[in-house]
Amino acid sequence: MTTPGPEERAGEAFTESAAEAVQTAVMAYRLVMAIADAVRRHQQRRQRGKEDALPTAEEAVNEISADVERLLPSDISGALMAEADWPQLAQQLLALRKAGVDLDQVLPRVGEIAANVRDQVAAKAEEGPTDQWVRAVRETLPAGPVREAILTSPAWLEMAATMARLEERGVNVREVLAAAHNEVLSVDQTVAKGLGAAAEPVMSRDAQLSYGPLTTGLDLPRDLDLSDRERALTQLAISPQENQRYIRWAREAMLGNVREAELLVTSRQWPLLARRMAQMETDGEPVRERLARLAEDTFWQAGPDSQLATRLVQAASDALCRPASEAPGESRVTVNTAAARATSPSVGPTKAAKAAAPAEAGTAPHRQAAPAPKSGRTR
């Protein structure tokens, strides 16, 4: 027997994690249906003094199976009906129907709960061993040289392991990071001065051009470099696992538009969209539901083909940021006067950088203007 290669082992691990996610979803389904069955029994005892007898297992399986296949996600219904206790679960469902419960209304909602559990478990399985600490650094420290230095350090894995050990001992790691930030920033500035470099990073053209609807409320490093995707993702504190997850979600949202989806996820501005999705996840916002608007609001289709990637980025930003009560528009992009001045030929680059420079070192103006995060975390 030959030893499986790396690709085979990775495929097996993916299959196992996907199966675990579905089985966890089935557990969630069981819990919800057990609660529903308990409520049915309790109500019948209160009203009649006794419970209705369950239908036979054979009757329940014959009558309910087709409805379960029709109303639940296929992977969850398949796993559910393959379980040894499926006849008992079918009896519960048929008893609910006979008690007057509309399964066409209830089962899809229960299926949504189970699917959400499945997706959460799958997302957790995709995370690397240090992903939670990438998030902690992103959510605690402002964009800038200190955050980038931490995430690109050769000692990052060791630092993440130390954070994990501190947390296990009851230490609030975020407080430690926040308290250390200003001291470490002064070290960065002192060393930079000693080397004859500017203490603060120069306002890059990417940072100037990014100001506007695409980045409102996000913290951008002043030396943002979108020409180097790997570095841009690090500057924005997006881990490789998070980036792959967001790419997959974008492709799923544009199912049937393969070329357009690839244009979106390979666009120069993609790291900014990924940063938006990461912020929304932190705030508990429904990222995938918002992205689904790309298939519904297709104003990005109209216009020159040469500008399609730009329109897709704008549409994705609109889909993520637009409140549910607002209708989509032809284009929601507005002129940002600071960026316009910064790129105007009548304004020198030095003056433009000063005009757009944030008050806080290493932090974009978006951080001063943005509302407090919903998660309640403080920096």
Side-chain angles (χ1 to χ4, degrees):
M1 182 180 292
T2 59
T3 304
E7 291 185 0
E8 291 177 334
R9 289 196 298 271
E12 290 172 2
F14 176 80
T15 302
E16 289 174 4
S17 63
E20 180 184 354
V22 172
Q23 287 301 317
T24 308
V26 169
M27 288 171 58
Y29 170 89
R30 277 202 184 96
L31 173 62
V32 175
M33 295 312 301
I35 293 171
D37 188 58
V39 170
R40 173 190 67 82
R41 292 170 183 269
H42 178 70
Q43 189 61 245
Q44 289 176 343
R45 285 196 303 270
R46 286 184 59 194
Q47 300 299 326
R48 303 177 188 168
K50 64 176 184 178
E51 305 168 9
D52 287 348
L54 287 173
T56 67
E58 183 180 0
E59 176 192 4
V61 169
N62 290 337
E63 188 167 335
I64 291 297
S65 295
D67 291 323
V68 169
E69 291 178 339
R70 176 172 59 89
L71 298 171
L72 292 181
S74 59
D75 56 347
I76 295 174
S77 65
L80 189 68
M81 296 169 68
E83 295 290 315
D85 63 349
W86 163 239
Q88 290 74 38
L89 296 173
Q91 285 177 294
Q92 289 181 346
L93 284 171
L94 187 52
L96 287 170
R97 173 177 282 169
K98 290 186 173 183
V101 175
D102 185 352
L103 295 185
D104 277 38
Q105 295 292 324
V106 172
L107 275 179
R109 292 197 289 266
V110 176
E112 184 176 350
I113 294 171
N116 284 338
V117 170
R118 175 199 63 200
D119 293 344
Q120 289 175 31
V121 174
K124 185 68 176 177
E126 291 174 1
E127 290 188 347
T130 66
D131 272 14
Q132 74 173 102
W133 300 114
V134 173
R135 288 198 303 274
V137 170
R138 175 178 68 222
E139 294 164 7
T140 307
L141 303 183
V146 173
R147 192 170 79 179
E148 186 178 355
I150 292 172
L151 297 177
T152 58
S153 170
W156 163 243
L157 292 178
E158 183 180 344
M159 285 190 280
T162 301
M163 292 180 205
R165 288 195 295 270
L166 287 171
E167 185 180 58
E168 288 172 2
R169 298 182 185 184
V171 176
N172 187 328
V173 176
R174 293 171 187 268
E175 285 187 1
V176 174
L177 289 172
H181 176 262
N182 286 342
E183 295 302 320
V184 178
L185 184 61
S186 69
V187 171
D188 173 79
Q189 293 173 344
T190 300
V191 173
K193 185 176 180 180
L195 295 173
E200 295 182 3
V202 176
M203 177 73 70
S204 70
R205 184 169 177 79
D206 280 335
Q208 293 173 359
L209 295 179
S210 296
Y211 291 157
L214 188 62
T215 57
T216 300
L218 301 182
D219 59 332
L220 297 187
R222 297 182 65 203
D223 56 346
L224 179 66
D225 181 9
L226 293 177
S227 66
D228 183 340
R229 171 161 293 201
E230 185 176 348
R231 187 191 174 201
L233 290 169
T234 300
Q235 288 182 299
L236 297 168
I238 305 298
S239 71
Q241 291 80 10
E242 285 179 313
N243 185 50
Q244 288 304 312
R245 183 165 74 249
Y246 301 147
I247 287 174
R248 188 181 73 250
W249 288 357
R251 287 171 175 162
E252 289 172 355
M254 301 190 70
L255 200 61
N257 295 285
V258 177
R259 171 176 169 265
E260 290 80 359
E262 290 308 304
L263 280 174
L264 176 62
V265 301
T266 58
S267 66
R268 184 184 178 90
Q269 289 78 23
W270 170 257
L272 300 175
L273 293 174
R275 181 66 185 86
R276 173 73 66 193
M277 291 184 236
Q279 183 64 55
M280 291 177 67
E281 281 198 295
T282 296
D283 294 343
E285 297 286 345
V287 179
R288 298 177 79 176
E289 290 84 344
R290 296 280 183 86
L291 279 175
R293 293 169 167 176
L294 284 169
E296 303 164 1
D297 308 334
T298 55
F299 63 85
W300 48 267
Q301 293 178 345
D305 194 62
S306 59
Q307 298 175 9
L308 178 56
T310 300
R311 294 197 304 274
L312 284 165
V313 169
Q314 294 169 355
S317 178
D318 171 58
L320 291 168
C321 299
R322 175 165 43 87
S325 58
E326 287 189 17
E330 287 283 324
S331 174
R332 301 174 58 84
V333 178
T334 57
V335 175
N336 184 275
T337 54
R341 287 195 302 271
T343 56
S344 170
S346 62
V347 180
T350 304
K351 293 181 180 179
K354 289 181 179 179
E360 182 182 346
T363 306
H366 303 67
R367 290 181 59 84
Q368 284 105 36
K374 296 180 181 179
S375 60
R377 297 190 179 99
T378 56
R379 299 189 184 276

